[in-house]
Amino acid sequence: MKFLFPALLMSASLTQAADLTINDAMARAVPPTAKISAAFMTLINNANTDLAVVSAESSVAEAVELHNNTMTDGKMKMRQVNQIDLPAKQTTELKPGGLHVMLIGLNKALVEGETIDLTLNFSDGSSEALEIPIQPIEPMMQKKHEHKH
Amino acid sequence: MRNLFLYTFLGLAVSVGAYVSFELFGPKAPLPKYAQAGIGGDFSLTSVEGEINLSDYKGEIVLVYFGFMSCPDVCPTSMGVMATAIRQLSEEQQQKVRGLFISVDPQRDTPEELHAYTQYFSNRIFGATSSKEQIDAIVKQYGGYYAFVEMEDSALGYTVDHSARLYLIDPDGHLADILAHDINPVELHEKLAAYL
Ligand SMILES: [Cu+2]
């Protein structure tokens, strides 16, 4: 029963989630007038049993929800989901264009370099309190370009 | 008198002939295929500067994007791609490129907020919106899609399904290209540079 969080901060876990690794957790830096943002991360369920994220909380937002984005026929759709499944022995990615933790009604600007608190509640009754960095999602100019100028 | 008529006639014939041959064979580039198909064209919106028209920006490349500020994901990503591509241009070239983020959610997004939102990404990206009727007309004119969708259990109340494309308007005001929202900034930069 080990919780591994190899990020910047040692998160004090409220309850130990079963064999779960969370990598690259971050909240997206957003313009000052934005009322919403999203948090992304990679969750690895190392256990032999399925788990799910059933809810989340943060002090920076009025409401924190679990959402999924899909692109069908060139149409981007965002929908709320009841839970984010973390199947046994599998890696689940929360990333732009897909699953995300939606932060609604921000009560502070999400400025790059700062952090926010984010608590994930799991289907087994356990929780993880994280402190995650605020980062911009900058599209990368690819190497191809570097040779051009 | 007779000669005068003749000369006038000849003069007219020559001018018309010259005009027609210039239109047909002259150095003018043909209309982009979208403009030929009647997709795109001028429109009016409300920004922090008041009423703006696409035709105000003749001589500039305009990158039009339909989105909304409560969009956590594709909209800011697209703005980031736009900003990154624009940033690769010289200072002088940048002044000839303009991003235009059109909010399809005027109920939540004000021109002031849209201005701050877009300028966060680049000082060459501007925001605007309009009435629902106007927006419906513009989206249709550009072959786009959006729809309000109720989110019953969400604090958001509703979301907006939308097509996420970048519309490249050439310096003559014609729709020249429709690009995927996840276009690589390198590719977008190349598309822009082709007009500069
Ligand atoms: Cu969302």
Side-chain angles (χ1 to χ4, degrees), chain A residues 37-38 65-69 78-79 100-104, chain B residues 70 72 151 156:
Chain A
S37 186
E65 298 176 2
L66 308 175
H67 284 191
N68 191 23
N69 280 343
M78 180 167 78
R79 297 291 181 268
H100 56 273
V101 175
M102 185 85 175
L103 307 167
I104 302 165
Chain B
S70 314
M151 287 179 97
L156 278 179

Side-chain angles (χ1 to χ4, degrees), chain A residues 35, chain B residues 68 70 103-111 113-114 129-132 135 146 148 150 156-158 160:
Chain A
K35 294 161 193 133
Chain B
F68 62 113
S70 314
S103 170
V104 296
D105 191 4
Q107 202 181 315
R108 278 195 288 226
D109 303 345
T110 66
E113 287 169 333
L114 284 163
T129 187
S130 189
S131 63
K132 189 177 183 304
I135 291 163
Y146 85 100
F148 290 103
E150 296 291 320
L156 278 179
Y158 66 89
V160 191

Side-chain angles (χ1 to χ4, degrees), chain B residues 4-194:
Chain B
L4 184 62
F5 276 123
L6 184 63
Y7 287 137
T8 309
F9 174 74
L10 278 177
L12 265 175
V14 168
S15 334
V16 168
Y19 177 74
V20 167
S21 56
F22 180 80
E23 280 299 301
L24 290 177
F25 312 109
K28 209 173 178 184
L31 277 181
K33 61 177 177 180
Y34 298 109
Q36 282 180 22
I39 307 171
D42 200 15
F43 51 72
S44 298
L45 292 166
T46 309
S47 80
V48 279
E49 292 167 18
E51 191 190 289
I52 57 157
N53 298 286
L54 179 62
S55 53
D56 299 342
Y57 310 127
K58 287 237 170 105
E60 294 181 22
I61 301 168
V62 186
L63 286 169
V64 173
Y65 185 86
F66 297 100
F68 62 113
M69 276 174 38
S70 314
C71 160
D73 196 336
V74 275
C75 300
T77 302
S78 303
M79 291 305 103
V81 169
M82 228 190 239
T84 306
I86 292 174
R87 221 169 281 134
Q88 305 309 310
L89 300 167
S90 71
E91 192 54 45
E92 196 188 331
Q93 288 175 322
Q94 290 187 26
Q95 297 309 311
K96 291 181 182 144
V97 177
R98 172 183 299 263
L100 184 58
F101 182 91
I102 302 178
S103 170
V104 296
D105 191 4
Q107 202 181 315
R108 278 195 288 226
D109 303 345
T110 66
E112 290 71 27
E113 287 169 333
L114 284 163
H115 184 71
Y117 182 84
T118 51
Q119 292 281 302
Y120 169 86
F121 295 97
S122 162
N123 62 8
R124 293 304 302 161
I125 308 182
F126 303 86
T129 187
S130 189
S131 63
K132 189 177 183 304
E133 294 70 33
Q134 280 280 95
I135 291 163
D136 286 352
I138 302 168
V139 168
K140 197 175 165 204
Q141 194 180 329
Y142 277 78
Y145 166 89
Y146 85 100
F148 290 103
V149 177
E150 296 291 320
M151 287 179 97
E152 277 179 22
D153 302 318
S154 170
L156 278 179
Y158 66 89
T159 185
V160 191
D161 291 0
H162 64 121
S163 52
R165 295 198 185 91
L166 292 172
Y167 297 88
L168 193 156
I169 316 296
D170 72 16
D172 294 324
H174 297 305
L175 173 58
D177 216 341
I178 300 179
L179 312 166
H181 77 281
D182 55 354
I183 185 172
N184 182 298
V186 178
E187 280 172 68
L188 181 58
H189 167 254
E190 283 165 4
K191 297 257 183 202
L192 296 173

